[in-house]
Amino acid sequence: MALLHRAELRPSKLDLLAAWLPGRPWFAGTTGADATRVATYRFDDPAGEVGIETLLVRVGDGPVLQVPLTYRGAPLPGADAWLVGTTEHSVLGPRWVYDACADPVYPPALAAAVLTGVGPAEEYFEVDGRREVHPPNMTVTGGRAGAGEPPVVGAHREVVDGDPTVIRTGPVELAVIRRPVPGEAPSDACLTGAWPGQATPLVLAYAVPR
């Protein structure tokens, strides 16, 4: 489960992305335009220390872009090249925002969804000592890797930034589709999603054995 906070971020996530996205090799949109939120989903960090959220956004009149992010309370050593920016969270304090594809907490979470069908985290607020569930704004469905036990996926060994962005781990390659479009699933083990305005599920990520 993902605990949310009714908080203000300065700068906002969308402001960070509007500045960061045009420098990505897979960017499509209007440089200098605002980023607008289309939908979001989250994964759980078992340790409860790192926020893992995927934003689907548009920049100007561009297509929908998929941007997995992680939120940390301190810098991630060796990950400066993947830093989206820093922001001040009115409840949690300073947060370091990274492209999740290069964050060690992300591959195991993505693999659990892609290979075993684990769904996204349920989001909730704490209100007067009780949980108030935040309804999802999109549907996300995980796949299955087939019969037998799925491989254990740890942190990435290499990340190749592109569309898709390829995360190479020991047993599998995970691919994150940056610009989801209609088409056949490239693998049985895939993650699909649908959101308002996109009723037919699109492939968001998939896995292939190494």
Side-chain angles (χ1 to χ4, degrees), residues 33-56:
D34 291 339
T36 57
R37 186 189 309 258
V38 175
T40 62
Y41 62 96
R42 287 179 178 261
F43 293 140
D44 277 321
D45 168 24
E49 295 294 326
V50 180
I52 309 173
E53 180 181 34
T54 297
L55 279 72
L56 301 180

Side-chain angles (χ1 to χ4, degrees), residues 51-105:
I52 309 173
E53 180 181 34
T54 297
L55 279 72
L56 301 180
V57 300
R58 282 192 177 92
V59 181
D61 58 0
V64 172
L65 304 176
Q66 180 176 209
V67 190
L69 299 174
T70 53
Y71 311 117
R72 289 178 167 268
L76 176 62
D80 288 354
W82 302 92
L83 180 68
V84 175
T86 57
T87 186
E88 187 70 25
H89 191 288
S90 61
V91 175
L92 301 176
R95 307 296 284 173
W96 280 259
V97 183
Y98 290 93
D99 181 339
C101 293
D103 192 311
V105 303

Side-chain angles (χ1 to χ4, degrees), residues 33-208:
D34 291 339
T36 57
R37 186 189 309 258
V38 175
T40 62
Y41 62 96
R42 287 179 178 261
F43 293 140
D44 277 321
D45 168 24
E49 295 294 326
V50 180
I52 309 173
E53 180 181 34
T54 297
L55 279 72
L56 301 180
V57 300
R58 282 192 177 92
V59 181
D61 58 0
V64 172
L65 304 176
Q66 180 176 209
V67 190
L69 299 174
T70 53
Y71 311 117
R72 289 178 167 268
L76 176 62
D80 288 354
W82 302 92
L83 180 68
V84 175
T86 57
T87 186
E88 187 70 25
H89 191 288
S90 61
V91 175
L92 301 176
R95 307 296 284 173
W96 280 259
V97 183
Y98 290 93
D99 181 339
C101 293
D103 192 311
V105 303
Y106 181 67
L110 178 61
V114 171
L115 298 174
T116 70
V118 172
E122 182 179 76
E123 302 176 13
Y124 70 97
F125 296 97
E126 287 281 358
V127 180
D128 297 328
R130 59 182 175 80
R131 288 179 175 173
E132 182 179 289
V133 175
H134 182 255
N137 51 46
M138 66 179 291
T139 59
V140 179
T141 304
R144 292 284 178 181
E149 286 294 318
V152 176
V153 174
H156 62 279
R157 295 184 177 180
E158 182 185 11
V159 180
V160 181
D161 198 13
D163 189 16
T165 294
V166 176
I167 306 169
R168 293 184 175 133
T169 71
V172 298
E173 285 189 355
L174 298 165
V176 176
I177 306 296
R178 295 299 195 165
R179 288 180 276 178
V181 294
E184 293 186 11
S187 168
D188 290 337
C190 63
L191 188 72
T192 61
W195 53 89
Q198 179 58 54
T200 302
L202 302 181
V203 176
L204 301 175
Y206 61 91
V208 293

